[in-house]
């Protein structure tokens, strides 16, 4: 089994799928991090990361957590 070579297209497909899964899993966390960092000192909308994610789902829906992810998905796939 160690002597079997994996073809280049198979490696590219595996890498693309791994990139898509990675971005899909991590993007909501990055969104919450960015929103927490962009808060002004006097105006605190979110108290924690979980609070940010809950408020995002309530106000924008589940897919609101993935708004803007298309660019990352497009760039990470190749």
């Amino acid at each position: 089994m160690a002597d079997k070579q994996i073809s280049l297209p198979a490696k590219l497909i595996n890498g693309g799928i791994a990139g898509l899964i990675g971005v899909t899993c991590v993007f909501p966390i990055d969104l919450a991090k960015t929103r927490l960092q962009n808060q002004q000192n006097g105006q605190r909308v979110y108290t924690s990361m979980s609070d940010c994610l809950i408020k995002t789902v309530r106000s924008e829906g589940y897919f609101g957590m993935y708004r803007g992810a298309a660019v990352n998905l497009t760039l990470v796939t190749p």
Side-chain angles (χ1 to χ4, degrees):
M1 186 133 220
D3 60 345
K4 183 174 173 131
Q5 294 293 323
I6 299 174
S7 66
L8 181 63
K11 289 180 182 179
L12 291 173
I13 291 169
N14 284 337
I17 291 171
L20 289 173
I21 292 171
V23 169
T24 303
C25 293
V26 174
F27 195 80
I29 297 168
D30 283 339
L31 176 83
K33 177 193 65 131
T34 303
R35 289 186 178 187
L36 285 167
Q37 288 175 341
N38 285 336
Q39 293 186 113
Q40 301 298 328
N41 290 337
Q43 177 188 3
R44 294 202 51 165
V45 179
Y46 310 110
T47 57
S48 66
M49 187 172 284
S50 60
D51 179 51
C52 179
L53 291 173
I54 290 169
K55 286 181 179 177
T56 301
V57 170
R58 285 184 184 159
S59 65
E60 301 175 29
Y62 175 76
F63 292 108
M65 290 191 305
Y66 292 98
R67 182 167 292 139
V71 174
N72 285 350
L73 291 171
T74 304
L75 294 175
V76 79
T77 304

